[in-house]
């Protein structure tokens, strides 16, 4: 669940926060989309007084126990504030080891029994000292790294606890993920009974809402789901405007400001007859433009880029029809000339036959 929260945070940063930041840099004005953030849940796990430090502290305490960890959690964090991520302790009938966390998706109940033992997860120092002397290279090299990162004093367990090591590995992983172009695949369970051909709408809608997909879809509808660079627009759609041979065959040369102005002229002429004239009308009756030009890119409303591609396809069809008509005309004229020449030849041959017949008759 800790990993799921980090994944949800990455999803929010990639799909919503990063997009809004890009609009800000491009000076694109869009309505602020309200969305839930799980930053408070992350801090509840990883903060200075979060679950990880509290569990590590309880592990190094001489009389530490699972029940002591739960008591420390409830003593450190409030359950009365709206931002609290702890479920009321009285919901568990004052159990010593049960506690609940309000995750981004839903509330989850945990039983802390065995938490301390699992979190320590350390090998005795004598075992490690013996293992590094092994003649087996795999055992010796693997456990020598473990020994070098394992302190000899119990008071230093905080740095080598299972949850702390897992957090460091997860931080490294998500740091690498942020350097890549992330694609998300959301798996939606149709029902909780694992039955085929059965769709539980309530179950499905809950998942869509809990993973943030509804917010992403709402943002996509209210903002600009498609974007293209100015030079790409001119290379792909130059023949739809009245530029002559200026950008023929994808040749885009010129100043950045000139390219932007030509791109705006092109889009203004092609999309002026789109939905709602030069824009569309939103749910509240507000005028919404079909596209917006930023500093380096053009941002399209839903359906606008498709309309532009449709106009491009129509222009191709029209040009193809002209080419086909010209080719068919040439072919038809050639065929007609052949037939005409053939008829003329046949007429000459027939005339020669007639002349010969007349000559024979005169001799007789």
């Amino acid at each position: 669940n800790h990993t799921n929260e980090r994944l949800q945070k990455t999803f929010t940063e990639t799909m919503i926060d990063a997009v809004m930041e890009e609009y800000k840099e491009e000076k694109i004005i869009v309505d602020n989309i309200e969305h839930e953030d799980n930053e408070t849940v992350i801090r509840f796990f990883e903060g200075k007084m979060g679950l990880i430090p509290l569990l590590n502290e309880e592990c190094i305490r001489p009389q530490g126990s699972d029940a002591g960890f739960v008591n420390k959690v409830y003593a450190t964090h409030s359950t009365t504030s709206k931002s609290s991520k702890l479920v009321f302790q009285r919901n568990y009938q004052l159990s010593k080891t049960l506690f609940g966390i309000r995750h981004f998706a839903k509330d989850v109940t945990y039983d802390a029994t065995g938490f301390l033992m699992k979190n320590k997860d350390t090998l005795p120092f004598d075992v490690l000292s013996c293992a590094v002397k092994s003649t087996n290279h795999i055992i010796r090299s693997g456990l020598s790294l473990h020994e070098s990162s394992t302190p000899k004093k119990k008071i230093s367990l905080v740095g080598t606890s299972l949850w702390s090591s897992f957090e460091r590995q997860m931080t490294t992983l998500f740091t690498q993920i942020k350097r890549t172009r992330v694609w998300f695949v959301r798996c939606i369970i149709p029902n909780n009974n694992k039955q085929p051909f059965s769709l539980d709408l309530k179950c499905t809608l809950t998942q869509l809402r809990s993973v943030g997909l509804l917010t992403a879809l709402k943002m996509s509808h209210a903002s600009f789901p498609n974007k293209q660079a100015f030079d790409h627009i001119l290379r792909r759609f130059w023949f739809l405007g009245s530029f002559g041979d200026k950008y023929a065959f994808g040749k885009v040369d010129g100043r950045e400001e000139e390219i932007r102005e030509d791109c705006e002229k092109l889009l203004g002429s092609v999309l002026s007859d789109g939905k709602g004239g030069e824009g569309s009308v939103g749910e509240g009756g507000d005028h919404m433009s079909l596209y917006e030009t930023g500093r380096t890119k053009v941002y399209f409303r839903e359906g606008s880029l498709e309309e532009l591609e449709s106009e491009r396809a129509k222009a191709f069809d029209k040009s193809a029809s002209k080419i086909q008509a010209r080719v068919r005309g040439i072919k038809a004229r050639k065929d007609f000339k052949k037939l005409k020449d053939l008829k003329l030849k046949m007429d000459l041959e027939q005339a020669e036959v007639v002349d010969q017949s007349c000559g024979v008759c005169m001799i007789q």
Side-chain angles (χ1 to χ4, degrees):
N1 288 340
H2 186 188
T3 306
N4 289 336
E5 293 292 349
R6 291 291 292 268
L7 281 172
Q8 181 60 43
K9 181 182 178 182
T10 303
F11 175 80
T12 303
E13 291 175 347
T14 304
M15 300 298 294
I16 300 178
D17 294 344
V19 174
M20 297 302 291
E21 184 64 26
E22 181 181 351
Y23 289 160
K24 184 178 179 180
E25 292 178 357
E26 291 285 336
K27 297 182 179 180
I28 300 295
I29 301 176
V30 294
D31 296 334
N32 187 23
I33 306 298
E34 295 183 358
H35 61 278
E36 297 182 11
D37 193 352
N38 67 334
E39 183 63 30
T40 54
V41 186
I42 299 296
R43 288 200 302 267
F44 182 70
F45 279 107
E46 306 173 359
K48 186 176 181 180
M49 297 300 293
L51 294 184
I52 299 178
L54 291 178
L55 183 59
N56 290 337
E57 182 181 342
E58 191 66 19
C59 286
I60 63 176
R61 199 166 65 89
Q63 301 298 326
S65 64
D66 299 324
F69 164 67
V70 175
N71 290 333
K72 187 172 295 184
V73 169
Y74 276 103
T76 305
H77 297 276
S78 171
T79 58
T80 56
S81 63
K82 293 182 179 180
S83 60
S84 175
K85 296 305 173 183
L86 265 182
V87 178
F88 291 113
Q89 191 173 19
R90 62 171 177 267
N91 293 355
Y92 307 109
Q93 298 179 356
L94 301 180
S95 172
K96 294 183 178 181
T97 57
L98 293 180
F99 68 101
I101 299 177
R102 294 189 177 93
H103 285 280
F104 182 82
K106 64 177 183 179
D107 296 352
V108 179
T109 300
Y110 295 92
D111 188 348
T113 303
F115 271 28
L116 265 68
M117 180 184 66
K118 294 177 182 178
N119 190 50
K120 292 177 181 178
D121 192 40
T122 54
L123 292 173
F125 181 72
D126 295 340
V127 174
L128 288 176
S129 300
C130 180
V132 295
K133 299 177 182 178
S134 173
T135 57
N136 188 299
H137 173 70
I138 297 176
I139 297 177
R140 186 174 65 254
S141 60
L143 291 181
S144 61
L145 296 175
H146 196 285
E147 183 199 26
S148 62
S149 61
T150 303
K152 300 178 178 59
K153 296 183 180 180
K154 188 177 180 181
I155 193 67
S156 301
L157 179 64
V158 175
T160 59
S161 68
L162 181 64
W163 203 353
S164 297
S165 300
F166 177 77
E167 181 192 6
R168 287 195 297 270
Q169 295 171 3
M170 188 166 55
T171 300
T172 303
L173 173 63
F174 281 98
T175 301
Q176 295 176 353
I177 289 177
K178 288 182 178 180
R179 299 194 188 105
T180 64
R181 184 177 181 181
V182 185
W183 294 86
F184 293 92
V185 178
R186 290 292 192 181
C187 300
I188 305 299
I189 302 174
N191 60 80
N192 292 322
N193 300 323
K194 299 182 180 180
Q195 295 294 327
F197 309 108
S198 176
L199 178 63
D200 187 345
L201 294 179
K202 184 178 180 180
C203 173
T204 305
L205 185 60
T206 300
Q207 294 176 78
L208 292 175
R209 184 181 294 109
S210 62
V211 299
L213 279 181
L214 293 182
T215 303
L217 291 174
K218 181 180 178 182
M219 179 179 178
S220 176
H221 177 73
S223 57
F224 308 92
N226 299 308
K227 59 183 178 181
Q228 299 288 348
F230 294 135
D231 56 349
H232 178 80
I233 294 292
L234 291 176
R235 286 192 184 98
R236 188 168 179 82
F237 305 104
W238 63 272
F239 51 87
L240 297 179
S242 56
F243 300 119
D245 296 333
K246 184 177 181 180
Y247 299 111
F249 306 106
K251 181 185 66 175
V252 180
D253 295 325
R255 295 179 295 104
E256 182 178 346
E257 191 63 28
E258 181 183 1
I259 294 176
R260 174 176 177 171
E261 291 177 359
D262 289 342
C263 188
E264 290 179 346
K265 292 178 182 178
L266 171 64
L267 295 177
S269 62
V270 176
L271 296 179
S272 60
D273 296 328
K275 299 178 180 179
E278 294 187 352
S280 58
V281 179
E283 296 179 356
D286 297 331
H287 181 78
M288 298 172 61
S289 59
L290 292 176
Y291 63 91
E292 290 287 347
T293 54
R295 295 174 57 251
T296 60
K297 301 182 184 70
V298 181
Y299 294 82
F300 296 92
R301 295 277 185 190
E302 185 178 2
S304 300
L305 185 59
E306 289 77 3
E307 179 68 20
L308 198 60
E309 291 287 353
S310 177
E311 293 296 328
R312 181 175 183 266
K314 290 178 182 178
F316 277 179
D317 291 342
K318 187 176 180 179
S319 299
S321 298
K322 289 182 179 180
I323 294 173
Q324 289 176 351
R326 181 65 62 86
V327 172
R328 288 172 180 172
I330 295 173
K331 185 176 182 299
R333 285 189 289 272
K334 286 183 178 179
D335 293 341
F336 177 75
K337 187 176 184 303
K338 288 181 180 179
L339 292 174
K340 187 177 179 180
D341 294 341
L342 181 61
K343 185 179 182 302
L344 180 60
K345 182 179 180 181
M346 293 175 63
D347 291 342
L348 291 174
E349 291 177 352
Q350 187 177 5
E352 290 177 0
V353 172
V354 171
D355 291 342
Q356 292 177 0
S357 299
C358 291
V360 170
C361 291
M362 290 177 66
I363 294 174
Q364 291 178 350

